[in-house]
Amino acid sequence: MVASVLDGRACAASVEKALIPRIEKCASQGVVPHLAVVIVGDDPASHVYVNAKIRTCKRLGIKSSYVALPETTSEAELIDVIHQYNVDNSVHGILIQSPLPSHMNEEYLTDLIDPHKDVDGFHPINLGRLVQSRKDCLIPCTPNGVMRLLEWSGIETAGKTALVIGRSRNVGMPQAILLAARGADTTVTIAHSKTADMAEQCRSADILVAAVGRPNMVKRDWIKPGAVIIDIGINRVDDDADSRGYVLVGDVEQSAEQVASWITPVPGGVGPMTVAMLMENTVQAAENIIQR
Amino acid sequence: MVASVLDGRACAASVEKALIPRIEKCASQGVVPHLAVVIVGDDPASHVYVNAKIRTCKRLGIKSSYVALPETTSEAELIDVIHQYNVDNSVHGILIQSPLPSHMNEEYLTDLIDPHKDVDGFHPINLGRLVQSRKDCLIPCTPNGVMRLLEWSGIETAGKTALVIGRSRNVGMPQAILLAARGADTTVTIAHSKTADMAEQCRSADILVAAVGRPNMVKRDWIKPGAVIIDIGINRVDDDADSRGYVLVGDVEQSAEQVASWITPVPGGVGPMTVAMLMENTVQAAENIIQR
């Protein structure tokens, strides 16, 4: 048996389709949803991601602003940009593309974003509301996209065991919180670099979410037969045979598809869902302005 | 083998001892740490808890204010009290004893507490900073007390498996976050009412934290031999043989002590730690005022 594909592109398309009437309704009330994207430095992957986000905005009728700052930008200059977008009533979402250059304090800068415009869901007040299972928060896009993909695919989660590999503040931790919450109802385990027996942890997981950023770290023979595999990793691996000089590889060995029941492709799995959820958060933020 | 006792009273006493010079230093700078406690209604257990907190304040030289409001208090009246304490510069910690009467929205009221004075650690901004593993948050007292008790007892946590039973926003969830964080480094699982095989989950846990509120829910034969048991449950069970008419019983069968390596007594385990952490948060909040 080969696993069915958890088609992030198709699911993202259905999310986007459902956004169109919401965007039109906002616009008809004089509020065109507007996302401001800021990128600092020359990281090639970051520029690819930002371009994808802006293209999606255009496709959906979401207004986008785009500021590209050089690697040498000072923190004070970036703070100025954040403040300008915070006070600009026409802007509903602010996204500072991660990672920032090493001379910047990402946590401190995230704190400065108006939580109502924090469409990344990285501000502590949004993360805290997530812990509280509240509806009035903007949820981090990648873990939220994973939940939506599971739901769209009709995968039952209640009572299942889930393993999240990775404990990052913006992906692994919120992913575990979402999987444990009422409604999702999985029995969730958080594993990480200090986990004693990763293979054994994987073998008992009905749903495995890998968010590590290490190519092929999870081996085919660690997978429980019939498991659902969500591969958040998207790693560039040098490959001279490829015209770009690299290929994109997940955190889970590709051959795991021989054992799993469902698996996300890399690329085309979680990535499109992250962008779709960003769009949804932006529209939500605009709707919140109208309702306030 | 009978398990060693995780003596919360002794650990709390050591925490309190370490607070004395900090409290004296604050006072010498003109800032006497000051906790304001508000209780609404007649729940007997809540009054017992509040009295214990106020007694501990007195013992340590922390100033306490105490407001007891009738069950019929309106939300607006309670909001007034919160606002008064928020703007009172002599008050460093505000505690609204849970549970509130059913006509009150606990979440909404918690949002109104100045996060700097949120010594319960229940405000979303403090929970969010906890997700971010930040130092500048006030951590919920019960899960923080559990971490301190493990540390004080010299129990190694890194690489161990931990099971948290219960996913409440103020206890189970923050407990799991703390156990998974860098430094603690356990591989943590969150189980709850929808968990398919609770017995099996328990059997694989090196550290078991029960935070359910159901007497004797965790059975002796579910315990992994040599496990560390933290029993957060403190349940009143009718007992005519007792002069009070009830006895206090944990979430874990007492006889689990025959299998475990360490176990918290009920009472005298986590309870005193919760109070000690509340004192520490109050002193921390006062120190933060001095440093600001």
Side-chain angles (χ1 to χ4, degrees), chain A residues 47 59 103 119 122 143 149 170-171 175 181 223 256 266:
Chain A
H47 279 271
R59 193 165 66 235
H103 66 278
V119 284
F122 294 172
L149 187 55
N170 296 335
V171 181
Q175 187 71 74
I223 305 299
V266 176

Side-chain angles (χ1 to χ4, degrees), chain A residues 14 26 77 88 154 161 165 183 216 254 261 269 284 289-290:
Chain A
S14 88
C26 285
E77 289 171 281
D88 183 342
T161 55
I165 310 179
N216 300 320
Q254 177 76 46
S261 63
Q284 183 65 55
I289 288 291
I290 294 171

Side-chain angles (χ1 to χ4, degrees), chain B residues 154-232:
Chain B
I155 294 169
E156 181 58 62
T157 56
K160 299 286 175 64
T161 56
L163 179 71
V164 177
I165 310 178
R167 53 180 164 176
S168 68
R169 54 177 60 191
N170 296 335
V171 181
M173 281 292 199
Q175 186 72 73
I177 293 165
L178 286 165
L179 282 163
R182 277 175 189 76
D185 289 322
T186 73
T187 302
V188 67
T189 300
I190 307 165
H192 44 75
S193 56
K194 296 288 171 22
T195 291
D197 192 344
M198 191 65 85
E200 197 52 39
Q201 289 293 341
C202 289
R203 284 190 191 104
S204 63
D206 300 321
I207 299 167
L208 190 153
V209 183
V212 186
R214 284 176 55 197
N216 299 319
M217 179 216 152
V218 177
K219 307 303 175 196
R220 170 190 169 154
D221 69 348
W222 297 0
I223 304 298
K224 178 177 177 172
V228 175
I229 298 178
I230 311 283
D231 195 343
I232 296 180

Side-chain angles (χ1 to χ4, degrees), chain A residues 31-151:
Chain A
V31 178
V32 177
H34 180 179
L35 174 67
V37 180
V38 183
I39 184 166
V40 186
D42 307 314
D43 181 56
S46 291
H47 279 271
V48 169
Y49 296 146
V50 163
N51 289 336
K53 291 165 185 175
I54 288 175
R55 271 201 316 275
T56 310
C57 283
K58 289 193 173 136
R59 193 165 66 235
L60 296 180
I62 292 174
K63 185 178 171 187
S64 61
S65 297
Y66 172 61
V67 175
L69 300 170
E71 185 81 19
T72 51
T73 302
S74 71
E75 230 178 40
E77 289 171 281
L78 182 52
I79 291 171
D80 268 351
V81 173
I82 293 172
H83 280 323
Q84 280 166 34
Y85 284 137
N86 275 346
V87 298
D88 183 342
N89 289 333
S90 82
V91 170
H92 310 105
I94 303 172
L95 183 142
I96 313 291
Q97 182 66 37
S98 183
L100 288 172
S102 56
H103 66 278
M104 290 188 179
N105 182 338
E106 208 154 323
E107 181 175 284
Y108 170 69
L109 292 162
T110 303
D111 276 6
L112 300 179
I113 296 174
D114 179 345
H116 299 99
K117 301 188 179 186
D118 167 44
V119 284
D120 254 340
F122 294 172
H123 191 284
I125 209 157
N126 281 313
L127 291 173
R129 289 178 177 184
L130 185 66
V131 174
Q132 296 179 311
S133 286
R134 284 164 72 157
K135 303 285 176 210
D136 62 348
C137 65
L138 294 164
I139 303 177
C141 300
T142 298
N144 200 23
V146 168
M147 300 311 292
R148 197 64 67 86
L149 187 55
L150 289 168
E151 196 182 326

Side-chain angles (χ1 to χ4, degrees), chain B residues 15-58:
Chain B
V15 170
E16 290 178 12
K17 194 175 166 196
L19 287 177
I20 300 279
R22 291 171 61 183
I23 294 164
E24 288 171 351
K25 194 175 171 195
C26 285
S28 74
Q29 295 174 274
V31 178
V32 177
H34 179 179
L35 174 67
V37 180
V38 183
I39 184 166
V40 186
D42 307 313
D43 181 57
S46 291
H47 279 271
V48 170
Y49 295 146
V50 163
N51 289 337
K53 291 165 185 175
I54 288 176
R55 269 201 317 275
T56 311
C57 282
K58 288 193 174 137

